[in-house]
Amino acid sequence: MVDGSTDLETYRVVHQQLQDLVLMQQQQVESFGEMIRNREEESVRAKMYDDVVKELENERLEHAKTKALLSKESEKLQFALGEVEILTKQLEREKKAFENALESIKNKTLKELNKNDKLKSKCNDIESKIEKQEDILSSKEDQIKELCHQLAKQKATLKTAVQKAVMKVRESMKKEDMVLSYMSGQPCGGHL
């Protein structure tokens, strides 16, 4: 039975060794699985790293483009700001010139208005004097008309008086002639 027990013992040793081997293989499989998972994670990390690196490169490229665009736009902005400054200074000069011209025109206008006011005042004074002179002339004309009327009246009165006087003188001369003719013996009606 030594052989039977040896076989059993061998079987146990072999069985134990096989179990150890299976356990070892199982551990190795688990270890390989862990390693594969780690490698997969590392692979994923490496892929993520590559993606991140590519993204970073793209970002750097975009940043460089943006920086170049910013630089170009900054130049344009500086140029535009320069133009704005020039135009602002020009506008200030033109504004000052306009204000000076406007002030000059205001002063001239004020002088002209004062001059016009003085001329209007003079014209009003002259018109007033003319009205007074016209009133005086009208009064004088009325006086002249009155005097002419009185003169015409006096002339008419004087003419009538002269005519009457002439008639009296004629009558008187007739009487004288009559008296003289009577006295001298001549017939009447010799002179008149």
Side-chain angles (χ1 to χ4, degrees):
M1 285 244 353
V2 175
D3 282 342
S5 78
T6 311
D7 279 343
L8 188 60
E9 192 66 36
T10 307
Y11 176 74
R12 277 188 191 165
V13 169
V14 170
H15 181 58
Q16 186 67 40
Q17 284 180 348
L18 281 175
Q19 273 186 340
D20 287 342
L21 182 64
V22 166
L23 185 66
M24 240 169 92
Q25 283 178 346
Q26 203 173 6
Q27 286 175 348
Q28 279 185 342
V29 166
E30 285 178 12
S31 175
F32 279 139
E34 185 72 26
M35 194 172 75
I36 288 171
R37 277 194 297 273
N38 285 341
R39 285 200 179 162
E40 282 177 353
E41 283 179 17
E42 285 175 12
S43 175
V44 168
R45 285 186 199 143
K47 188 174 182 330
M48 283 174 60
Y49 174 77
D50 287 345
D51 289 346
V52 168
V53 166
K54 281 181 184 177
E55 197 175 315
L56 181 63
E57 284 300 315
N58 287 339
E59 286 295 321
R60 283 182 179 159
L61 188 62
E62 287 299 315
H63 179 70
K65 287 178 183 176
T66 305
K67 197 172 179 181
L69 186 62
L70 176 64
S71 176
K72 189 186 269 187
E73 293 302 316
S74 291
E75 284 177 20
K76 286 180 184 177
L77 177 63
Q78 288 303 318
F79 180 74
L81 288 174
E83 283 186 336
V84 166
E85 189 177 345
I86 290 168
L87 290 172
T88 302
K89 286 179 181 176
Q90 184 179 349
L91 184 64
E92 279 297 318
R93 284 193 303 268
E94 289 176 4
K95 182 181 175 188
K96 207 171 240 183
F98 174 76
E99 285 173 352
N100 290 340
L102 183 63
E103 190 64 32
S104 174
I105 289 169
K106 280 182 183 175
N107 290 337
K108 283 181 182 177
T109 303
L110 197 59
K111 284 179 185 176
E112 288 298 318
L113 286 173
N114 287 337
K115 193 175 175 182
N116 284 349
D117 287 345
K118 285 179 183 177
L119 286 173
K120 279 182 184 177
S121 178
K122 256 187 180 178
C123 284
N124 289 338
D125 288 347
I126 291 170
E127 282 178 358
S128 177
K129 285 179 183 177
I130 288 172
E131 283 177 11
K132 285 179 184 174
Q133 287 177 347
E134 283 177 347
D135 288 346
I136 291 169
L137 283 174
S138 178
S139 173
K140 296 283 182 192
E141 284 176 355
D142 289 345
Q143 285 179 358
I144 289 170
K145 283 179 184 175
E146 183 61 34
L147 288 173
C148 284
H149 181 66
Q150 287 177 4
L151 185 62
K153 231 176 166 182
Q154 286 176 356
K155 270 186 180 180
T157 306
L158 187 60
K159 188 177 180 183
T160 305
V162 166
Q163 284 175 348
K164 284 181 182 178
V166 166
M167 282 175 72
K168 280 184 182 180
V169 168
R170 280 186 185 164
E171 281 179 20
S172 173
M173 283 178 73
K174 269 186 184 178
K175 285 180 184 176
E176 240 179 66
D177 276 347
M178 281 173 62
V179 169
L180 282 176
S181 97
Y182 179 75
M183 290 183 144
S184 63
Q186 293 180 1
C188 254
H191 282 83
L192 292 170

